[in-house]
Amino acid sequence: MRVLILGGTGDAAELAAIATSQGLEVITSLAGRTREPSIPLGDLRVGGFGGVAGLASYLRVMQIDLLIDATHPFANQISFNAADAAAEVGVPRLMLIRPPWEKVSGDRWIEVDSVEAAAASLQNQAQRVFLTVGRQELAAFAHLDKIWFLMRMIDPPGNDALLPPGMVLCDRGPFTLNNERQILIHNNIDTIVSKNSGGDATKPKIIAARELSVKVVMVNRPAIPPGEQVSNVDAALAWLFERC
């Protein structure tokens, strides 16, 4: 059985490692946006497919038997492309989607539906912001010249990138609660802007914000295509082995 995993998450890497160790032929596809990605076990391809037609062609040429979409919850375009391509070729498809974070007592969340809405919510409402939405979303905040931003991302922005005022911090999760707590305290952060990615790797910043009563502007997830889905690696493995 040849399995294509659309990756880019820790869950995708874990799934690839276990499936490979169990004798399945696994190909993990990464978008190529991170300069030095963590390399999963099994075969690897990097870069886009060229839309639905390109992905459908890849499924045929590579004789893919099963497709698992384990991309980031905000990478919804590839998820819609995968749904259409898998349907066209007739390849069974599963979405591995980690649950979103849920607001609990003590959280000071403002929930918005886009990064642009998050930027609008900061106007005259924040002074020092911990911005954790990734380097591709920074331009949406560039006009907020009265706010200081600590911008955390894996890779540094390009030389021609539009940036808001502040400082860039390049780092890769998982992060500890003590690390996140110290960042908020040391930089006098009053607001965090975060996508609701879910998972444990970056959740400590949400816990630290709760402890310190720091406001969080939480960007809700975009829509995803219909289809069978699971919320953890174990369930995805069960789906795989059932079809093998």
Side-chain angles (χ1 to χ4, degrees):
M1 299 292 288
R2 182 174 287 175
V3 181
L4 175 63
I5 298 176
L6 303 178
T9 62
D11 288 340
E14 182 182 352
L15 178 62
I18 298 174
T20 299
S21 71
Q22 295 298 312
L24 295 180
E25 186 177 353
V26 177
I27 303 170
T28 299
S29 176
L30 302 179
R33 293 175 180 171
T34 302
R35 295 179 184 177
E36 296 183 6
S38 299
I39 305 302
L41 290 180
D43 293 331
L44 176 69
R45 74 169 301 280
V46 178
F49 289 97
V52 175
L55 180 51
S57 175
Y58 184 87
L59 296 176
R60 290 191 186 97
V61 171
M62 296 300 293
Q63 299 180 338
I64 301 297
D65 297 297
L66 300 170
L67 171 61
I68 297 184
D69 176 3
T71 54
H72 191 277
F74 282 79
N76 64 329
Q77 185 58 62
I78 183 61
S79 294
F80 278 96
N81 289 351
D84 290 343
E88 178 181 328
V89 180
V91 172
R93 173 184 60 96
L94 177 73
M95 291 179 287
L96 170 53
I97 306 172
R98 58 195 182 209
W101 298 315
E102 299 288 344
K103 184 178 180 181
V104 301
S105 177
D107 284 328
R108 299 178 59 205
W109 286 14
I110 298 173
E111 296 185 66
V112 296
D113 289 330
S114 69
V115 170
E116 291 74 19
S121 75
L122 299 177
Q123 193 81 45
N124 301 319
Q125 299 297 320
Q127 294 181 316
R128 298 180 67 84
V129 174
F130 188 22
L131 187 58
T132 63
V133 296
R135 62 188 171 92
Q136 294 181 312
E137 311 282 10
L138 298 178
F141 301 86
H143 65 287
L144 298 172
D145 55 2
K146 305 298 184 187
I147 301 174
W148 183 88
F149 290 86
L150 177 63
M151 298 161 272
R152 185 166 70 189
M153 62 207 75
I154 296 175
D155 293 324
N159 293 332
D160 58 348
L162 288 175
L163 304 179
M167 182 175 74
V168 169
L169 172 63
C170 291
D171 204 356
R172 185 194 301 263
F175 302 105
T176 67
L177 177 57
N178 184 62
N179 177 84
E180 304 298 70
R181 189 187 293 118
Q182 290 304 312
I183 283 178
L184 298 183
I185 294 173
H186 179 75
N187 294 284
N188 296 316
I189 300 297
D190 58 59
T191 307
I192 294 175
V193 178
S194 173
K195 294 177 177 177
N196 195 335
S197 302
D200 296 328
T202 58
K203 187 176 182 179
K205 68 186 175 189
I206 306 303
I207 300 173
R210 184 186 311 138
E211 290 181 354
L212 299 172
S213 195
V214 170
K215 183 170 61 180
V216 177
V217 178
M218 187 68 74
V219 182
N220 294 324
R221 294 180 177 184
I224 59 171
E228 190 173 359
Q229 60 179 274
V230 294
S231 61
N232 58 67
V233 172
D234 287 343
L237 287 168
W239 183 89
L240 267 181
F241 294 129
E242 180 182 336
R243 281 151 184 79
C244 293

